[in-house]
Amino acid sequence: MRSQRIIRNICSAVIPSLRRRVIEHAPAASIAASLSQPVRYATSSSSKRWLERQRNDYAAKQAELKGLRSRAGIKLEEINTKHNIFQSGQTVVDLGYAPGSWTQIAVEKTAPYGRVLGVDIIPALPPKGASTMQGNFTDLRVQAEMKRFLANPRRGRLLRPQVTTEEEGAVKGEVEVASQTYIEQERAMMKDEEEWAAKAGDTEGGENSVDVVLSDMLEPFPMVEGLSKMSLSKPYRLMATSGHTLRDQVGSIKLCNSALAFSIDVLKPGGSFVCKFYMGGDSKLLMEKFKQVYNKVSITKPKSSRSVCYPSLVLLFLTPLEP
Ligand SMILES: C[S@@+](CC[C@H](N)C(=O)[O-])C[C@H]1O[C@@H](n2cnc3c(N)ncnc32)[C@H](O)[C@@H]1O
């Protein structure tokens, strides 16, 4: 009886939903067994529906074929095909990058000399070729750190071309890369960053440093389950939407306002801003703000966007910025 009570207490502190579903009627042994089997979630009827939908979803299949971390990357590809946002060598900032498929697309489209900086409030493995920070984007100290990163045009950028084919290797950099060890390359990069930090002092900088700002942030919802996924390779996904339309719209618009202010600070004239938000509520007001700042404002709903109970729109803003 005592051991059952101890386990019950641990469970109630860690996984409230399990407490409700399992503990009330289960003996201690089966409680322990169920704790070691998070697969439970995958067998619920909503998870089955989700798996079924993923199986029949062309964007999910495409994403899997391309090795993307989620189907969201296919939406960004569609937007890029339509509006031609990315060029090789650009600097891209991805706000709310986790799990990382927009970042993956940005890295691919700006290769080999581009640089991509992702920021997210949850921990997630940085996609290959990108730099990432973990923090709450709405915190101005996090934004200051990002601006300091962006101010140094060499930071986060591959200084020498990646040798991918024999032909490319023969053109540039092959001898230099081959003659340097990994440690030597790391040391050179650290020296460069130290010199830059000494030169820049405490200033944030970062104005006119970014070609594309992406924002796919959604207002996080408090964690209620899924804590077992809290790892770098399999991060816990903050629940994206709460199911309460107005709450989600308000949260999404708040994050867009933050991203808009940041984009004004860092975007180069002629740069682009891609921002997702839920239409409704104050979104008309937000649109007016965007129109005051950007020359061209275009609303687009990618083919691969799922139709949800209220329309989720991806907005594309093309500059130049007004003086
Ligand atoms: C829909 S997901 C982004 C998916 C991503 N574009 C991709 O392709 O994989 C939204 C992300 O926004 C992040 N987010 C929400 N609020 C944030 C904040 N204040 N600061 C940083 N990230 C935030 C969430 O943690 C979540 O990972």
Side-chain angles (χ1 to χ4, degrees):
M1 272 313 281
R2 193 160 170 266
S3 65
Q4 196 170 344
R5 212 173 25 248
I6 291 170
I7 295 175
R8 188 178 301 170
N9 288 344
I10 294 170
C11 294
S12 65
V14 181
I15 307 179
S17 63
L18 265 184
R19 186 171 67 90
R20 274 197 312 278
R21 281 192 240 161
V22 181
I23 298 172
E24 276 161 18
H25 311 288
S30 68
I31 295 170
S34 61
L35 278 177
S36 62
Q37 288 174 11
V39 234
R40 234 186 120 70
Y41 295 110
T43 58
S44 73
S45 60
S46 64
S47 302
K48 273 189 196 149
R49 272 201 306 278
W50 183 86
L51 283 173
E52 193 55 38
R53 198 172 61 174
Q54 287 291 98
R55 257 196 294 274
N56 299 324
D57 178 17
Y58 99 95
K61 281 185 205 152
Q62 286 289 105
E64 201 177 341
L65 280 176
K66 281 183 71 87
L68 296 176
R69 292 185 182 178
S70 77
R71 66 192 293 291
I74 302 297
K75 287 189 226 170
L76 188 62
E77 267 211 320
E78 286 172 12
I79 297 173
N80 188 49
T81 308
K82 192 168 166 198
H83 296 281
N84 203 17
I85 307 162
F86 297 113
Q87 315 291 332
S88 168
Q90 285 179 329
T91 294
V92 179
V93 174
D94 187 2
L95 308 175
Y97 79 92
S101 61
W102 280 28
T103 295
Q104 286 177 296
I105 296 290
V107 167
E108 180 195 309
K109 303 287 178 199
T110 57
Y113 303 112
R115 61 173 175 157
V116 181
L117 172 64
V119 66
D120 206 290
I121 200 164
I122 60 167
L125 205 63
K128 194 171 171 214
S131 308
T132 58
M133 288 181 187
Q134 188 192 349
N136 181 352
F137 170 73
T138 57
D139 186 327
L140 293 181
R141 287 166 304 180
V142 172
Q143 293 188 19
E145 199 49 54
M146 293 171 73
K147 286 175 185 169
R148 262 193 289 280
F149 179 101
L150 294 163
N152 179 355
R154 289 156 70 93
R155 200 161 167 200
R157 203 184 290 279
L158 198 67
L159 297 178
R160 294 166 210 86
Q162 229 165 6
V163 182
T164 46
T165 64
E166 262 180 41
E167 208 182 305
E168 266 180 73
V171 182
K172 272 183 187 176
E174 190 182 38
V175 177
E176 200 181 350
V177 174
S179 66
Q180 272 193 318
T181 63
Y182 177 74
I183 299 283
E184 280 168 342
Q185 288 178 35
E186 287 281 294
R187 277 199 193 123
M189 207 172 284
M190 274 167 67
K191 191 160 167 269
D192 183 65
E193 287 195 6
E194 275 165 21
E195 281 172 7
W196 178 269
K199 206 165 71 186
D202 256 357
T203 55
E204 291 170 13
E207 303 86 13
N208 291 339
S209 60
V210 177
D211 299 281
V212 183
V213 173
L214 307 172
S215 172
D216 191 13
M217 283 185 290
L218 281 182
E219 177 77 345
F221 197 60
M223 289 163 77
V224 285
E225 60 182 5
L227 286 133
S228 57
K229 290 185 183 164
M230 198 64 165
S231 75
L232 267 187
S233 57
K234 203 175 181 192
Y236 175 76
R237 302 291 317 280
L238 288 164
M239 201 181 287
T241 46
S242 67
H244 190 294
T245 311
L246 190 66
R247 186 198 183 284
D248 293 339
Q249 283 164 352
V250 170
S252 130
I253 284 170
K254 199 173 80 187
L255 290 167
C256 286
N257 272 314
S258 236
L260 170 67
F262 183 77
S263 75
I264 294 171
D265 289 349
V266 299
L267 262 188
K268 291 177 186 169
S272 310
F273 177 32
V274 180
C275 177
K276 185 172 96 176
F277 72 86
Y278 291 111
M279 278 309 245
D282 283 343
S283 60
K284 280 205 182 107
L285 203 68
L286 186 71
M287 291 287 290
E288 287 312 310
K289 282 190 207 165
F290 286 138
K291 283 179 186 158
Q292 282 173 33
V293 180
Y294 295 103
N295 260 359
K296 186 178 163 194
V297 177
S298 162
I299 299 181
T300 175
K301 186 167 168 69
K303 195 161 61 104
S304 54
S305 241
R306 281 188 177 130
S307 39
V308 283
C309 48
Y310 44 92
S312 124
L313 290 178
V314 175
L315 298 181
L316 170 76
F317 306 101
L318 291 178
T319 47
L321 294 166
E322 282 180 359

